[in-house]
Amino acid sequence: MSPASTGVPTALTNVHAQTTLKDAFKNDFLIGAALNEAEFTGQNITAVALIKAQFNSISPENALKWDSVHPKPGVFDFTAADRYVKFGERNGMFVVGHTLIWHNQTPKWVFQDKKGNPVGRRTLLKRMREHIFTVVRRYKGRIKSWDVVNEALTRDGTLRQSRWMEIMGEDYIAKAFEFAHEADPEAELYYNDFTLEKKMKRKGAIKLIKKLKARGVPITAVGLQGHLKMKWPTFAQEEATIVDFARLGVKVAITELDVDVVPATQGNKTADIKVNAKRVAGADTYSNGLPDGVQRALAKRYAGFFGVYLKHRDVIERVTFWGVTDRGSWLNTRGRVNHPLLFNRYGKPKPAFTAVIQVAAK
Ligand code: G3I
């Protein structure tokens, strides 16, 4: 098929044919993608071909979350998770587990007794231990890295008042790491969160990591989720964040990378129907495709971030994209058509793909 018939410029097709992401960065860090069920079960043929060609690490977008694997008391369902892990093994990939303890996608029963009243610390600790042991042990030696605790901090850097925190107190975090380590002593254990580039939140995370380390908690790395915007963060903020965590003696990974290109709707809601209608339309600016100028700006943005990651490749273990193609991205929500990844809705490489490969070639 000629480049013209695929709609991809010749230069891109050539780059695609010659270089893949995982090869371009093979001496630097792993390149990962988060997979949904249609991908790791092989139904999405276009995405599967890309995953095999481009990535050497995978994360489960939803398949290993509490509500997926442990929907009811005493009931574990590993149907999807088993297929996810097997997909990674069959393709010789580094398999990541996401996530053990989180405030989202955790069923209500976890925090309640049979009558619906809140359970006490001892019961919750027991449930946490049972969950972590069952899940981590099942994939011992196969899932190499776990996001043990996800998003425990608020934007001001204090600990989020989640049900975990309310019932168990702040050492729920240490306990989760200790249980995970006991269940698989070889697994890498992560604290994973978003917007750690923001100073107040980062300060809170640094305090948390220091406390965990002082207690001897086996934490390997911090996961910077990397849900980025076109104007935030700056490359300097990204670099300062990586350096700050590296200084604590932990590794860093970019665990959920994407760049939201759709401008956020401005301002608060108003009663003026016309103004609201305009804002709603504004929220789906790129539903007919990404204009060239924005496409180029996205490529520059990705190149800048990869420049920072490459500079700090001594501490960066992995860069994982939160999705494979734009079509599958979680950012296509609230009626928005988004374009946050390196491969477009048809699985074709975007200019941002070329830009990222070129960073590696320098
Ligand atoms: O599985 C049900 C399905 O049975 C039901 O019919 C359907 C109807 O809405 O919902 C399905 O569940 C959805 C699930 O994704 C699987 O597709 C949930 O509604 C939806 O909320 C859920 O969204 C996920 C989100 O986490 C939940 O918090 C996204 O796919 C996933 O990309 C996103 O990932 C998170 C990371 O885990 C942590 N960091 C932020 C990141 C982005 O939000």
Side-chain angles (χ1 to χ4, degrees):
M1 200 186 287
S2 74
S5 65
T6 62
V8 182
T10 315
L12 276 185
T13 315
N14 290 343
V15 167
H16 190 211
Q18 286 160 12
T19 323
T20 63
L21 292 168
K22 65 178 178 191
D23 283 343
F25 294 97
K26 67 173 184 296
N27 297 321
D28 309 311
F29 33 70
L30 295 169
I31 296 283
L35 309 191
N36 60 36
E37 198 157 337
E39 290 159 349
F40 61 73
T41 57
Q43 289 168 56
N44 185 339
I45 297 164
T46 313
V48 169
L50 273 178
I51 297 159
K52 289 185 183 172
Q54 300 287 340
F55 301 96
N56 49 19
S57 173
I58 54 170
S59 298
E61 190 175 1
N62 289 298
L64 270 158
K65 289 173 180 172
W66 193 308
D67 64 358
S68 303
V69 292
H70 194 178
K72 292 188 185 132
V75 177
F76 286 88
D77 179 358
F78 290 110
T79 321
D82 282 356
R83 294 188 75 172
Y84 159 75
V85 175
K86 278 195 191 126
F87 177 91
E89 288 179 332
R90 261 203 315 275
N91 293 295
M93 293 163 167
F94 184 88
V95 181
V96 175
H98 170 89
T99 176
L100 294 170
I101 299 297
W102 193 20
H103 58 279
N104 275 334
Q105 289 174 285
T106 305
K108 279 203 179 76
W109 67 260
V110 175
F111 309 104
Q112 293 173 348
D113 64 16
K114 282 192 183 127
K115 290 186 188 144
N117 297 318
V119 293
R121 177 183 156 91
R122 269 184 59 170
T123 303
L124 191 55
L125 192 66
K126 234 176 106 192
R127 287 182 183 172
M128 174 194 263
R129 187 177 187 281
E130 185 209 17
H131 178 79
I132 293 181
F133 263 70
T134 309
V135 180
V136 174
R137 281 251 167 98
R138 183 177 187 89
Y139 302 112
K140 188 167 186 264
R142 302 167 68 197
I143 287 187
K144 306 285 185 194
S145 173
W146 276 102
D147 290 343
V148 179
V149 176
N150 198 39
E151 303 172 7
L153 293 160
T154 61
R155 60 196 315 183
D156 66 5
T158 57
L159 287 175
R160 184 190 294 277
Q161 288 305 312
S162 64
R163 302 297 283 138
W164 293 109
M165 178 73 176
E166 282 165 7
I167 297 172
M168 281 177 62
E170 74 171 86
D171 85 328
Y172 86 87
I173 300 175
K175 284 286 177 204
F177 277 90
E178 286 163 2
F179 291 149
H181 184 63
E182 212 183 319
D184 185 354
E186 301 298 322
E188 294 181 356
L189 305 181
Y190 275 64
Y191 174 71
N192 192 50
D193 212 333
F194 58 88
T195 57
L196 292 176
E197 291 84 355
K198 293 197 173 167
K199 271 224 169 113
M200 291 229 290
K201 190 161 179 182
R202 196 191 322 159
K203 247 176 120 177
I206 291 171
K207 196 169 141 199
L208 172 66
I209 308 300
K210 280 187 175 163
K211 260 195 181 171
L212 292 174
K213 289 197 75 121
R215 177 176 162 157
V217 170
I219 174 166
T220 323
V222 170
L224 307 179
Q225 289 188 2
H227 294 297
L228 311 174
K229 313 260 183 215
M230 290 300 274
K231 300 221 167 96
W232 180 90
T234 63
F235 302 135
Q237 277 173 317
E238 190 64 30
E239 177 159 26
T241 307
I242 293 168
V243 170
D244 274 356
F245 287 115
R247 256 195 221 121
L248 303 178
V250 287
K251 295 279 183 189
V252 177
I254 312 301
T255 51
E256 306 184 12
L257 184 59
D258 48 31
V259 180
D260 186 348
V261 294
V262 179
T265 25
Q266 305 280 308
N268 295 321
K269 272 197 180 151
T270 142
D272 186 329
I273 292 170
K274 275 189 200 149
V275 174
N276 271 339
K278 252 191 187 166
R279 284 181 183 156
V280 170
D284 203 15
T285 327
Y286 306 130
S287 53
N288 295 323
L290 205 54
D292 283 352
V294 188
Q295 197 77 263
R296 279 197 297 275
L298 179 67
K300 264 179 104 170
R301 199 83 183 116
Y302 263 114
F305 284 114
F306 269 82
V308 174
Y309 306 152
L310 203 55
K311 184 169 168 197
H312 295 283
R313 61 189 194 148
D314 55 327
V315 292
I316 304 244
E317 296 266 278
R318 165 171 57 90
V319 178
T320 288
F321 292 85
W322 204 242
V324 181
T325 70
D326 285 343
R327 191 190 293 274
S329 167
W330 73 289
L331 286 169
N332 297 299
T333 49
R334 287 165 271 143
R336 304 187 316 170
V337 175
N338 221 318
H339 310 266
L341 297 165
L342 300 188
F343 299 97
N344 73 14
R345 305 189 106 64
Y346 310 100
K348 300 294 176 212
K350 292 155 68 176
F353 169 86
T354 317
V356 165
I357 295 278
Q358 279 166 357
V359 172
K362 272 187 188 149

